[in-house]
Amino acid sequence: IDLRLDLRPGLPVTKVDPNHLEMALLNVLINARDALPSGGKVTVATSMMDAGEHTGTQRLAPGKHVVICVIDEGSGMAPDVLRRATEPFFTTKGPGTGLGLAMVHGFVQQSHGVLEIESEAGKGTIVRMIFPALVANGARGGSVAGQGARDEGAPPAPTILVVDDNSD
């Protein structure tokens, strides 16, 4: 797997549980890896989005949002599979519990965010976890505190660690 990182520096703080974010990101990355049985490219990207720029099907709260995106060039999903991808116990692959994307969906919603999945059979998948940015006083939405600025009392920004333990 050719893992590429496209991480935008200076993103505003968003309030998420770092352990749950790590598990969600790992779940999505494992799915991307499994969709590439012969290898291929997976990109993890971060960006900022304003609710007014959002073109997805789900409505975002007003204000700025932080986006974590995983893009793979794998097998993708047919429309009927994509519709059910976040249902508990529905698995998109042979061996599996069907809890990975359901857990990711639940975590993103608990964090007041939106999970979006775009996929087409044979063309890959894009998974976006979109979280509201915090403003200077800790409220969600609205204008964003200065680049890299943090609230007093806000949790530290999560560290994203990617480990490839495939020594084959």
Side-chain angles (χ1 to χ4, degrees), residues 11-52:
L11 291 175
V13 172
T14 184
K15 187 174 181 179
V16 296
D17 180 291
N19 294 321
H20 287 132
L21 176 61
E22 179 181 358
M23 292 304 298
L25 186 57
L26 283 173
N27 266 298
V28 174
L29 285 169
I30 288 168
N31 284 349
R33 178 203 64 195
D34 291 350
L36 294 161
S38 300
K41 183 170 74 170
V42 175
T43 302
V44 177
T46 58
S47 63
M48 186 123 124
M49 174 189 298
D50 190 291

Side-chain angles (χ1 to χ4, degrees), residues 45-121:
T46 58
S47 63
M48 186 123 124
M49 174 189 298
D50 190 291
E53 301 167 349
H54 183 248
T55 58
T57 59
Q58 300 180 54
R59 189 160 187 262
L60 290 180
K64 304 284 185 191
H65 294 77
V66 175
V67 181
I68 301 173
C69 187
V70 177
I71 305 161
D72 72 62
E73 297 175 347
S75 54
M77 292 180 263
D80 57 321
V81 173
L82 179 58
R83 273 191 299 279
R84 299 187 62 200
T86 59
E87 288 180 17
F89 307 111
F90 178 78
T91 182
T92 59
K93 50 193 172 190
T97 62
L99 294 174
L101 288 176
M103 186 280 304
V104 172
H105 184 251
F107 158 69
V108 172
Q109 282 189 324
Q110 283 180 327
S111 302
H112 306 285
V114 170
L115 177 70
E116 293 183 343
I117 304 173
E118 291 178 35
S119 189
E120 188 175 335

